[in-house]
Amino acid sequence: MKKFEKHSFSNTDKHGLIGSFLDAASIRNDSNVEISYSKLEAGFTAAPHIHTQTKTVVIILSGGMTFSLDGELVEVNQGEYVVFEKGVVEAVVSVLPNTENLTIHAPSVVGGDKQEV
């Protein structure tokens, strides 16, 4: 069973619920989600790593990226997003020019939980 999934937004979608990342012990505490924006250029890569405590969502706003997720190449382009669980071996293999993305880690972990593999 795969520990990741890929989604697309249609041209008619103006907004969409990607997921709910609420910690029942801390309702409405925004420290439970980390959201980061990146503008990447062609040639950017990221070495294989895992997040030991967080689920990850990567939303492509423009351009595109190719990931290796548990050894499977996954292309994610403008208007698409990928979701993967903690413990998935993730690497960024390639990036199209002028790629912009949002990355969400939930829950947020002070200092991060990224570990090289």
Side-chain angles (χ1 to χ4, degrees):
M1 181 173 177
K2 289 185 179 182
K3 293 189 279 183
F4 62 88
E5 56 187 90
K6 179 180 167 180
H7 299 268
S8 295
F9 289 111
S10 73
N11 289 336
T12 60
D13 288 338
K14 301 298 180 200
H15 59 84
L17 177 66
I18 294 169
S20 178
F21 303 110
L22 294 177
D23 178 350
S26 185
I27 296 297
R28 301 288 183 197
N29 182 341
D30 63 1
S31 66
N32 291 318
V33 177
E34 174 187 285
I35 301 171
S36 60
Y37 165 82
S38 298
K39 184 172 183 179
L40 306 171
E41 295 300 324
F44 175 86
T45 60
H49 62 279
I50 62 171
H51 294 275
T52 60
Q53 301 174 56
T54 60
K55 182 174 193 170
T56 302
V57 179
V58 180
I59 305 165
I60 306 300
L61 304 173
S62 65
M65 301 172 73
T66 300
F67 294 88
S68 173
L69 300 173
D70 278 347
E72 183 176 337
L73 292 180
V74 178
E75 285 187 28
V76 187
N77 294 299
Q78 181 175 337
E80 299 178 328
Y81 61 97
V82 63
V83 179
F84 48 97
E85 299 293 332
K86 65 182 177 182
V88 169
V89 177
E90 165 198 4
V92 177
V93 176
S94 64
V95 173
L96 294 176
N98 300 310
T99 292
E100 295 177 275
N101 73 290
L102 294 175
T103 301
I104 302 167
H105 291 113
S108 180
V109 175
V110 176
D113 73 332
K114 179 179 172 180
Q115 294 182 6
E116 301 293 322
V117 293

